[in-house]
Amino acid sequence: MQNAHIVHHKLVKIGGFFFFFVLAFLLMREGFHLLDSMKHVDGAGIGVYFLFFEINDRVLTSDIQFYAIGFFVAGFAAIITPFVLFRHKVLKYIISVWS
């Protein structure tokens, strides 16, 4: 029984790290995409989308850089989150609440 819990804990850690790594990658990629799109804007601005969510459909050209910085900050936060969240004490508390 104890071994099943250990395996479950490791799967939660691995899954959490993988999820946050993919999320950070996608956020950073969108930030770079926005910086690159500043060069190819036709009209007054662009629409900003992340995955299948519309963030804003009328971003002025002058504000694109701030959106890109926001995606970079969110990506950095997504990289840091699993190291904070999956520390032993925090993970032990979360699992004791769910069990």
Side-chain angles (χ1 to χ4, degrees):
M1 185 73 167
Q2 184 70 14
N3 289 337
H5 284 288
I6 292 172
V7 171
H8 181 264
H9 297 300
K10 287 186 180 189
L11 289 176
V12 168
K13 280 186 178 182
I14 292 170
F17 274 99
F18 181 72
F19 170 76
F20 282 108
F21 177 76
V22 170
L23 181 65
F25 171 76
L26 292 172
L27 287 165
M28 295 285 191
R29 186 185 72 162
E30 184 64 26
F32 284 117
H33 175 71
L34 285 173
L35 287 178
D36 186 48
S37 69
M38 286 176 55
K39 301 172 189 172
H40 311 301
V41 175
D42 66 0
I46 62 169
V48 176
Y49 301 92
F50 181 66
L51 298 177
F52 51 87
F53 296 106
E54 178 181 6
I55 307 294
N56 192 345
D57 65 341
R58 294 182 184 153
V59 177
L60 298 175
T61 306
S62 60
D63 293 338
I64 295 173
Q65 184 177 10
F66 296 112
Y67 278 85
I69 291 170
F71 277 108
F72 289 135
V73 169
F76 181 72
I79 290 172
I80 297 298
T81 299
F83 294 105
V84 173
L85 183 63
F86 294 114
R87 290 185 58 194
H88 182 69
K89 290 181 181 179
V90 175
L91 187 63
K92 189 175 180 180
Y93 172 74
I94 291 171
I95 290 174
S96 71
V97 170
W98 284 352
S99 296

